Amino acid sequence: MKALMRLFVSIALLAGILAGCAETPKPNNGSAANSTAPAKEGSATPEKAAQETGKWPRTYVDALGREIVLEKKPEKVALLFFRNFEHLFLLDESPAAATDLNVLKEWESLAPYKDKPIVDIGSMTSPNLDKLLEISPDLIIMVSGRYGSYGDKLEKIAPVVTVDSNENNWQGALREYGKIFGKEQKAEDEITRIQTLIADSKEQLKKFSDKTFGVIMLGDKQFWGFTTQFVFNKESGLALNPPSKYVAMSTKGEQISLEGLAAMNPDYMFVADIGGSSKKLQGYLKNLESDSAWNSLQAIKNGHMYALDSSIAAGGPLGIELGVKTIVKHILAK
């Protein structure tokens, strides 16, 4: 789990995930370079027609602006971006090989898929290329930020599609995978389903508009205040109120001290392990049982502290769905 925690922290601190998570998601086609001028009304390019009907071949423009011709629907995919497991599974697709398979065992959001026959090819930062060559995938999917490190080596094995991190735009990411697999309508159906769940849950929680909420990721003697979009966003989320002294909502989150958390003092608090392990989370909470600052928190004194699955940090659709259901269940139970 140390490796997974390093992966989370490196993505959060080095890849810029901490920026902009409080914004409302905007339509996204992978990247600015990935967008194309809209066709005139009444006209349709062959590529557009193929996408609309699910026909092949089709040309997909990836996050780096590269045109990749997909001759047929990808059937043997290698996924080198652990945060996108959810998008594939939600489209009823499963990679033949993938990196960072430990999240399948650790994240409750992925529990229904943990027994999928997926070949382990190491980590996103250093995938096992020899094993990948043995598998002989018909398509490799990787995050665009890693392409410069080893993308040219992957191109010698199979066609490579790059995707954006889409930290704040799970809808856009799901639409991109819909294009890759020819399942655009399935992607739209799932987006509608989850957005409806969020809207209905938001309505149920309106009665708690006078309460404050915090999302805290715990590590070994570490506390991170998160501005989790589906929790706090007024338009696209549950519109729950953060404490007046919460971390800046213009960021993904910030590391704080226990004293800083005590100053925030939310009425309700949701906690998760930043390294992705529910077992470690229980250990951290056990160690805090005798801490006076921790026990002074309103949420602790009133029994309003609850665990969330660590998949919420990845911002994927299944993690968001599980997070919303968990929050509603606990809050409405009181």
Side-chain angles (χ1 to χ4, degrees), residues 191-208:
I191 289 170
T192 298
R193 182 181 65 82
I194 295 174
Q195 288 181 333
T196 299
L197 169 68
I198 295 173
D200 291 346
S201 300
K202 176 182 177 180
E203 189 66 26
Q204 293 182 69
L205 297 176
K206 277 186 175 180
K207 65 181 75 174
F208 297 89

Side-chain angles (χ1 to χ4, degrees), residues 13-71:
L13 298 181
L14 299 180
I17 283 182
L18 293 183
C21 279
E23 297 178 1
T24 303
K26 298 177 181 178
N28 184 294
N29 192 33
S31 68
N34 192 22
S35 59
T36 56
K40 294 181 179 179
E41 187 175 356
S43 67
T45 65
E47 292 83 359
K48 182 177 180 182
Q51 290 177 359
E52 290 176 345
T53 61
K55 292 182 179 179
W56 308 89
R58 61 174 58 192
T59 299
Y60 179 76
V61 182
D62 75 357
L64 293 176
R66 305 176 315 129
E67 294 187 352
I68 295 91
V69 177
L70 302 175
E71 297 290 347

Side-chain angles (χ1 to χ4, degrees), residues 122-261:
S123 70
M124 183 180 77
T125 55
S126 56
N128 188 327
L129 301 187
D130 291 333
K131 184 175 289 188
L132 186 59
L133 182 61
E134 292 176 9
I135 296 164
S136 187
D138 58 13
L139 183 68
I140 299 172
I141 300 175
M142 68 181 302
V143 66
S144 56
R146 289 281 171 186
Y147 186 83
S149 300
Y150 50 79
D152 57 336
K153 297 178 181 178
L154 297 178
E155 295 282 4
K156 297 176 182 178
I157 299 174
V160 176
V161 162
T162 65
V163 294
D164 275 342
S165 60
N166 273 310
E167 173 67 10
N168 294 327
N169 192 1
W170 63 269
Q171 300 97 324
L174 193 56
R175 288 188 175 106
E176 291 305 304
Y177 279 103
K179 295 174 186 177
I180 293 171
F181 289 97
K183 292 187 173 183
E184 292 90 342
Q185 189 57 54
K186 172 68 172 173
E188 293 301 328
D189 291 345
E190 293 297 339
I191 289 170
T192 298
R193 182 181 65 82
I194 295 174
Q195 288 181 333
T196 299
L197 169 68
I198 295 173
D200 291 346
S201 300
K202 176 182 177 180
E203 189 66 26
Q204 293 182 69
L205 297 176
K206 277 186 175 180
K207 65 181 75 174
F208 297 89
S209 60
D210 60 333
K211 303 298 183 182
T212 59
F213 299 80
V215 178
I216 308 300
M217 304 294 283
L218 302 180
D220 185 13
K221 298 180 181 179
Q222 291 183 334
F223 302 85
W224 294 73
F226 266 53
T227 59
T228 314
Q229 179 178 289
F230 77 85
V231 175
F232 298 110
N233 192 278
K234 300 299 183 183
E235 287 76 34
S236 62
L238 298 176
L240 299 180
N241 296 317
S244 59
K245 296 182 180 180
Y246 203 56
V247 298
M249 296 304 289
S250 60
T251 68
K252 161 86 177 194
E254 301 170 14
Q255 187 168 3
I256 58 176
S257 64
L258 182 52
E259 292 73 21
L261 178 57

